[in-house]
Amino acid sequence: MTNRWKIKNLTHEQKKIKDKLVSELGIDPVLCTLLVGRKIHSFDDAKDFFRPNLSRLHDPFLMNDMNKAVGRLNEALGQNEKILIYGDYDVDGTTAVALVYKFLQEYSSKIDYYIPDRYNEGYGVSYKGIDFAADNGFKLIICLDCGIKAVEKVKYAKEKGVDFIICDHHKPDKKLPDAVAVLNPKREDSVYPDKNLSGCGVGFKFMQAFAVDNNIPFSSLEPLLDLVAVSIASDIVPIIGENRILTFYGLRQLNANPTVGLKSIIEVCGLQDSEITVSDIVFKIGPRINASGRIQSGREAVELLVSKDLTFAREKSNNINQYNDTRRELDKNITIEANAVLTEDDYTNSKRKSIVIYNEQWHKGVIGIVASRLSEEYYRPTIVLTKSEQMITGSARSVPGFDIYKAIDSCRDLLENFGGHMYAAGLSLKEDNLEKFTDRFEAFVSENIEPGQLIPQIEIDAVIDFKDITPKFFRILKQFNPFGPENMKPVFCTKGVYDYGSSRLVGKELEHLRLEVIDNNSKNIMTGIAFGMHSHNDHIKSSKPFDICYTIEENTFNGKTTLQLMVKDIRPSDEN
């Protein structure tokens, strides 16, 4: 599928801001263009951006119900009540449970954790979990990364003498559960300044408030920031505002002195001798933690994350690594099967704007990953469904700019349960409603999606010449880290480049391009790698000019570090 290139252009007002930043900061105008695109409008904004500081975290008591939550927790600890930390089985939920459990363990011996079984209990708060709490004398459940829609279940818990404190970040309905406290920055009545926290991030703010109320130094929370960073990166929440600060310090903790459990995962990933980045969490650390809940049990992930024994942690990490291998095999096979169905239905030539695909045999634990792969390949909002406990259940993934949660919400009368975000959601429905749901979902998508959202687009931050890529330029560019949603790694475009004579095909199947190119304006030579772009080789070797868009990376080989271009797309210059 051909990509559209969209070069970001500054408005007249933004150009004035950029010129002001150039004057105030004394750095390259291209870097100032990048800052303006990230809503950095002043010297002070730039200082906060380049120098994240924990002192700039918001007052946790600005969050609705925080006083109630801290008061109930103080009461539980003061009366020596049993407390159950309850969380979802994904990375965000398990890191949140691990963080709150590890912190409160210092102040209570009557504390345990509970992760629902993906297959027997499903997503979120379960009656089985509440029964476990009631039968075992737990008076308080601290619920993390779920619970915002558990109105009936919280009512059921109350009847059994069990209180709830809900810490969630998913979109709430108009009616909130009747819990002691509902901590969620996305509440309609929320005045909290940052709406983008992860579920673990909300749990962290709760512990921060508890620490403030009990004169516990903030430094006692800092060793847990690695868990927050893992949750933020894995849950793909915007890395701006508080999340940027938490990720910055969390990565520092992860690299310098990670918790025992995370240290063992880092070893299994082979990352112990490299600087760990958001990308490493997204593609290596996060999937392994997730694999536990997908294939076996999310509780095992928490056992690992709260472990203080490195030998035990290494054993658990090896188990989780094996689950990840199983997950990869399942994910690969189901993706092949799904593609075969779409090919047989001639989906590519159909006028449908969405994909809803169902197979009762597919493994529930990996359908979210398959949905992601299909949405990337076909560039359509995608729902992958399977059967679980006499119900159809599934995962939804979207394309940039389209709110799939809203699309699913428009079909809520056909659903038994649903929840999620703009780009990812989960749902369950009765088999009788599948055909109606598929048609209604397709109708909503067709009516509301913009034509441009159905074509893959590469957003280019700036057009530059190779001469702009100096050591100082890259040194400052590195300070834009940590990268993630709403602060993605900058993409540059250089036009009219030529093969310097030594570009060549590489890879086992000669499917990649190793580039050595020179640009028309500065005559500087740059090397780069273009994965899977072998089809451009003939044009490149013809000595005709072409345009490239890319990110700039460091490449270390034989102890020597150089800059190289990670090429995202190539097109002949005459296509402009």
Side-chain angles (χ1 to χ4, degrees), residues 183-217:
L183 307 178
N184 188 330
K186 291 192 180 81
R187 281 175 55 160
E188 280 190 0
D189 59 348
S190 174
V191 295
Y192 193 72
D194 199 317
K195 311 297 181 192
N196 297 314
L197 293 170
S198 65
C200 184
V202 177
F204 176 82
K205 297 304 294 187
F206 181 21
M207 294 302 96
Q208 184 189 0
F210 170 76
V212 169
D213 195 64
N214 289 280
N215 297 313
I216 300 165

Side-chain angles (χ1 to χ4, degrees), residues 108-134:
S108 171
S109 59
K110 293 193 172 182
I111 185 167
D112 200 355
Y113 52 86
Y114 188 98
I115 305 291
D117 184 275
R118 183 188 286 265
Y119 304 100
N120 299 327
E121 297 169 78
Y123 167 78
V125 179
S126 71
Y127 288 110
K128 185 180 175 183
I130 293 167
D131 287 342
F132 172 85

